[in-house]
Amino acid sequence: PEDAMAIIPDLPGIYDEPFADSSQIPTCLLSRIVRRNVTVALSGDGGDELFAGYRRYGQMRKLAQILDTLPSSLTRSLCRAALLMPKTWWQRASGWIPTVQQSSGVVERGRNLASRLIENVDEVYPYLHCHWPDPGLVMASDFRSSPLNQETEARRLLNSPISRWQYLDMLHYLPDDILVKVDRASMAASLELRVPLLDHRVVELSWQIPETMKTNGTDGKIILRRILADYMPPQLFERPKMGFGIPLSDWMRGPLSTWIEDLINPSMVKKHGILNSEIVWKVWQEHRSGRQDWGYWLWDLVSLQAWLEENSVSTGQF
C-alpha cells in the first residue's frame, strides 16, 4: 500500500492529462517491477474486446433476450417502477447491475441503467462505462455537457448485442482508457510494451470468427482458451476473471484523505472553476462519513483537480 500511495502524486505528470482509471496505480507499479529485468514486454490488451472476454457482454445479452420477450410497454413500466424504489432496494439489487462493483455508486448507477432501458437496451452502453453518465451533475454551469450518445452505426451494422458492444469498446474503451493507461505507465518506467493481439491481421480475423467461438454467454475468449489448452494446464487459465483493483475507497477515507481535501475543498474547486464546488464537497462528505461509497466517482474529480493543480490551469487560462 505504501508503494501504491507514494506513486499517486506522480500520476498527473505520468499521464500528462486528466486520467482517472484507478488501475493506473498498479499498472505503474507493475511496469517498474518488470523494467528491473527486461526492456521489452508483451501485453494481452485487446483480447477481451476482440474475443468477448468481458462478463458484461454475456450479462447484456441475457438482458436483451429477456427484454425481447416482453412488450416494450411492460419494460418501460417496470423500469419506471424501479426508479421509484428506495435506496435500500437498489442496494439489495446491486448484484443485478452489470459491471458495477456492489459498493460503488450502486443506487445512482442502477437508476441510470433503468432510465436508459426505458428507451432501448442499446442505449445502456455509455451509462455503464461512465462513472458520471451526465457530467452536468457535477460540472460548473459554464462547463456542463449532455450525456454521451450511443454510436448508431453499431446498431445499423451489427446484429447481436455482444458484437455491438465489442465494436463500441474498440472505438472508445480500448483506445481511450486501456491503451492510454498501459502506454503511459510503461513509458514512465522506460519499458517498451507491445500489444500483439492488436496486430491488424488479428483484429481482422477476430471479426470473421463466429460469436459462438468467442463466448457461450458465461465464459468468454473460448477460442483462445482452446488454443492455450494445447500448451498450458487448464488450471492456469480456467479461473474467475480478476480485475486490477485496489482498495481505493478505504484509502480515500484513510491515508489519502488529507491529500484529497487539499484538492477538492471548495476554495480549490472554485479556483479552477470547472467543477461545482458544493456538489463535490457534498459527495466527499458522504463518502468520508461512510454513508455512501463514491470512491471511483470521486477519483475522477480528484484526478482532474490534481492535474489542474499540477499544471496551474484555471478557467481564465483556457
Side-chain angles (χ1 to χ4, degrees), residues 59-111:
Q59 291 172 324
M60 293 313 298
R61 181 167 71 174
K62 291 177 182 178
L63 181 59
Q65 290 170 342
I66 292 172
L67 294 178
D68 285 344
T69 65
L70 300 175
S72 57
S73 58
L74 177 59
T75 300
R76 288 193 292 269
S77 297
L78 291 173
C79 289
R80 290 191 180 101
L83 290 172
L84 299 175
M85 299 301 287
K87 180 180 293 188
T88 53
W89 183 89
W90 281 104
Q91 290 169 337
R92 289 195 300 269
S94 62
W96 308 341
I97 303 173
T99 76
V100 177
Q101 294 189 3
Q102 294 198 9
S103 62
S104 182
V106 167
V107 176
E108 290 71 20
R109 188 63 64 85
R111 286 174 174 163

Side-chain angles (χ1 to χ4, degrees), residues 8 11-12 17-22 24 248 252 259-260 263-264 275 296-311:
I8 287 175
L11 294 177
E17 65 177 311
F19 186 80
D21 183 338
S22 62
Q24 65 197 127
L248 183 64
M252 294 175 86
W259 176 73
I260 290 172
L263 286 170
I264 64 172
L275 301 173
Y296 292 97
W297 301 49
L298 272 167
W299 186 250
D300 301 339
L301 311 182
V302 173
S303 297
L304 173 60
Q305 286 290 111
W307 181 83
L308 292 169
E309 188 64 16
E310 176 82 9
N311 293 276

Side-chain angles (χ1 to χ4, degrees), residues 153-160 163-165 167 207:
E153 188 71 3
R155 291 202 300 269
R156 187 177 71 83
L157 294 177
L158 304 169
N159 295 324
S160 75
S163 62
R164 289 196 290 270
W165 279 44
Y167 172 79
W207 282 99

